[in-house]
Amino acid sequence: MITVNHVLSSRIHPSQIFEDLYRRSETLAPNNFALSKTFLADPKAMIRHYHRPHRERRLMGPSVVTMHHDPLETYPFLSADLFLPKWRQASKVICLNSAQKQFLDGHNIKSGTIISHGVDRDVFPVPEKPRELLGGKIVLGVVSKRYQRGIKGEARLLSLFDALDPKQFSFVFLGEGRWQDGLKGLEKGFEVEHYENLPYRLYGEVYAKMSALLILSEFEGGPACLPEALGSGLPVLGRPVGMVSDWVINDVNGLILTERDWIEQIKSMANNENLLIALNQGAFEQSHSCPSWEEVISRQYAVYREVLGQ
């Protein structure tokens, strides 16, 4: 039996994404694997899988680390200088996107491998046909927790409220704290739907209300909402961060928003039915290529075997 210990390294800061990844890993574990989840590393386990390596004095090998955040993040608590020594110690570093691996390569750390987030096919099945145009206003969706430090592009969202016409656009918000953005949108005259807490099984119904998913983040490791959107045939309008650069093909299944013209790019969708049809078609054609969580977790277990030389 191969024993894998997921090390959380903190009792103070719970993480929904860590919990979700562990739940999926445990549910999809091959018969010859046994998982445990602890705050302190278990010396009896055959492999330690760290999620907050910067909180450890030293990694207990053999070890795997997942890089959940953007290594260019400027938040002091997530400074790359805190992580680099631990990434060097790890037997394998799982990256969510190619930019993370390039960062490791640039620091002569050759243990990186890319395993992106996946899509839950029970909630977001592969579409049978392109999405039909909703008609009326373009509905922009935001799916993420809201952060006071603005990591998810909260300031850009406020700028968007000032720039767009409420007669042409509306918004759907899904995530903790997004009621604040919903209120701001209402104050600016936009139609707004907001879902603060929703069972995950219903997420697909919320995405179905959107014309496009909006990703305005300053930095990203994922985000997890990206494969949910593209995997269900929903176009994505996103800044070139995290998995966006790997997954979004400009003018095919979404728009890569530039630093200079991102607002004009979003505005261009108004009264442009041909663009919306093309993006829906492109997102539909690319949707099957998004990996399921089953595929993602299978690759994770392949990393464990590689680390053990099996």
Side-chain angles (χ1 to χ4, degrees), residues 3 5 7 36 38 40-48 50 60-62:
T3 53
N5 174 219
V7 188
S36 65
T38 60
L40 300 177
D42 180 1
K44 296 180 181 179
M46 297 175 68
I47 298 177
R48 264 68 46 180
Y50 292 89
M60 191 180 300

Side-chain angles (χ1 to χ4, degrees), residues 107-242:
H107 286 81
N108 201 32
I109 300 173
K110 304 302 181 182
S111 56
T113 186
I114 301 173
I115 304 179
S116 63
H117 287 314
V119 57
D120 189 328
R121 286 304 183 190
D122 289 334
V123 180
F124 300 95
V126 178
E128 298 179 355
K129 59 182 180 180
R131 288 176 177 247
E132 297 180 1
L133 297 185
L134 298 176
K137 298 179 181 180
I138 295 170
V139 184
L140 301 178
V142 175
V143 181
S144 74
K145 177 181 176 181
R146 190 180 196 279
Y147 289 83
Q148 289 299 116
R149 59 191 175 93
I151 187 66
K152 294 292 186 177
E154 282 78 3
R156 291 179 182 272
L157 185 57
L158 295 179
S159 298
L160 204 55
F161 288 152
D162 290 331
L164 299 183
D165 186 348
K167 295 179 181 178
Q168 297 177 320
F169 292 87
S170 65
F171 290 87
V172 171
F173 295 102
L174 173 56
E176 180 183 339
R178 285 296 170 185
W179 61 269
Q180 299 177 58
D181 298 308
L183 286 179
K184 292 288 185 181
L186 288 172
E187 290 173 1
K188 295 292 184 177
F190 291 95
E191 291 182 21
V192 170
E193 286 190 39
H194 166 248
Y195 302 89
E196 184 76 5
N197 295 298
L198 194 70
Y200 188 66
R201 68 180 185 276
L202 301 179
Y203 271 40
E205 297 179 22
V206 179
Y207 280 71
K209 298 173 180 285
M210 304 174 189
S211 306
L213 178 72
L214 193 60
I215 299 175
L216 298 177
S217 306
E218 300 297 327
F219 303 98
E220 275 291 354
C225 61
L226 179 60
E228 293 172 346
L230 293 182
S232 58
L234 178 68
V236 170
L237 316 180
R239 287 170 40 74
V241 294

